[in-house]
Amino acid sequence: MPKVIVANYKMNGSKKLYATIVKKINKLKVMDTRIVLCPPFVYLDEFRLKNRSVSLGCQDITNEDNSKSTGQISPSMLLEFRVKYVIVGHSERRKLGEKDEQINEKVKICLNNGLLPIICVGEEKKSDKLDSVLLQVEQALKSTPKDTSPIIAYEPVWAIGTGKLPEVARINRMSKKIRDKIRDLGYQNCVVLYGGSVNKDNFKEIISSEIDGLLLGGVSLRIDEFIEIVKGIDNE
Ligand code: PEP
């Protein structure tokens, strides 16, 4: 299975920066890696992607089936901009008050409209019980069709943007627990990504673990370093 690398640009960037990123990404040659770029909504149209290995994603979606939702973005709007993937339940949105129930609504809205949710889960503190993460997985997937292959990004909140990294053994343990949980819930397959403080100096150690790919935050804005990571993984 190809490795998956997701770039979450968060609330960063400019037309100028994204023009540079898109130019370099369109020239990038990879054999066995799927890349997903998730810019802020207002820059989606800057991402005229001409690379079969690269897809467009975004960082959120509405949880409501109702056009009277000021400030929300609907699935049909995203599809019009060629978006395929949606990051759902990122810890930075959970911090703003997003609850498991809304995350589940967003996951269902994605799946009902042909969009693929990338569901973010992770414990707050290093000392937290890892089973809380499995509860997040279960809640996010409640009442979704079993013939889908959920994409889960395991992102320990304490590792996001902090430079702190879990031991590979912890990532492996969590990845196995998530896969077992998803099988127990009745899904045939899943994709498990890791995210949190990955950079060019540590990605090799992490990709050697039992995960299917990475969700990259800060480093995705440094396009040359991002490409170095993608090539390093593609050549593994
Ligand atoms: C993230 O925000 O999902 C993330 C992984 O960020 P960073 O790589 O900067 O830790």
Side-chain angles (χ1 to χ4, degrees):
M1 192 171 70
K3 293 281 189 211
V4 180
I5 302 183
V6 181
N8 174 15
Y9 296 115
K10 311 195 189 195
M11 196 177 69
N12 291 299
S14 59
K15 280 192 176 192
K16 190 163 173 240
L17 176 71
Y18 290 130
T20 307
I21 287 180
V22 170
K23 203 166 162 193
K24 291 197 178 189
I25 287 287
N26 278 340
K27 283 191 192 144
L28 178 64
K29 287 197 172 56
V30 288
M31 302 290 289
D32 200 27
T33 308
R34 171 125 295 277
I35 301 163
V36 181
L37 306 179
C38 304
F41 294 126
V42 292
Y43 293 121
L44 283 172
D45 206 31
E46 309 297 316
F47 282 69
R48 306 283 168 115
L49 299 170
K50 296 188 186 100
N51 187 329
R52 286 163 153 257
S53 307
V54 189
S55 304
L56 192 56
C58 67
Q59 302 170 22
D60 198 15
I61 190 167
T62 180
N63 65 318
E64 292 176 316
D65 238 342
N66 176 357
S67 62
K68 290 183 186 137
S69 296
T70 303
Q72 298 269 50
I73 301 287
S74 74
S76 61
M77 293 171 186
L78 296 173
L79 289 165
E80 205 171 359
F81 283 87
R82 306 165 307 278
V83 168
K84 274 199 179 154
Y85 295 82
V86 181
I87 296 175
V88 176
H90 192 281
S91 65
E92 287 156 10
R93 298 220 55 86
R94 291 182 193 255
K95 255 182 222 154
L96 293 174
E98 193 165 285
K99 298 279 178 277
D100 286 328
E101 195 186 336
Q102 291 157 295
I103 292 166
N104 175 244
E105 287 164 358
K106 291 182 180 193
V107 168
K108 287 194 279 200
I109 285 194
C110 286
L111 295 173
N112 288 340
N113 289 281
L115 291 160
L116 296 168
I118 299 169
I119 303 166
C120 298
V121 295
E123 73 281 9
E124 284 278 330
K125 292 190 257 126
K126 198 171 182 182
S127 56
D128 285 351
K129 289 227 163 60
L130 294 185
D131 283 355
S132 62
V133 179
L134 301 182
L135 199 62
Q136 290 176 336
V137 171
E138 186 166 354
Q139 301 280 334
L141 290 173
K142 217 164 152 187
S143 310
T144 58
K146 303 293 182 211
D147 59 354
T148 53
S149 190
I151 308 171
I152 308 290
Y154 168 50
E155 299 208 292
V157 180
W158 56 271
I160 296 178
T162 58
K164 292 183 193 152
L165 213 65
E167 299 82 40
V168 172
R170 186 180 175 111
I171 299 176
N172 282 340
R173 201 160 65 241
M174 203 57 237
S175 158
K176 184 170 181 323
K177 275 175 178 275
I178 292 172
R179 286 179 210 280
D180 289 349
K181 180 73 185 177
I182 286 183
R183 199 173 317 113
D184 289 350
L185 291 171
Y187 302 86
Q188 303 291 318
N189 256 315
C190 65
V191 174
V192 181
L193 312 178
Y194 168 79
S197 292
V198 180
N199 59 38
K200 69 173 175 16
D201 300 318
N202 61 24
F203 76 94
K204 283 206 168 132
E205 170 193 352
I206 299 166
I207 209 71
S208 71
S209 70
E210 286 171 28
I211 48 147
D212 302 312
L214 300 171
L215 198 161
L216 305 174
V219 75
S220 50
L221 289 156
R222 304 194 289 276
I223 185 62
D224 293 333
E225 190 174 341
F226 178 79
I227 287 177
E228 187 181 330
I229 295 175
V230 172
K231 284 187 173 166
I233 289 172
D234 195 50
N235 290 332
E236 281 290 300

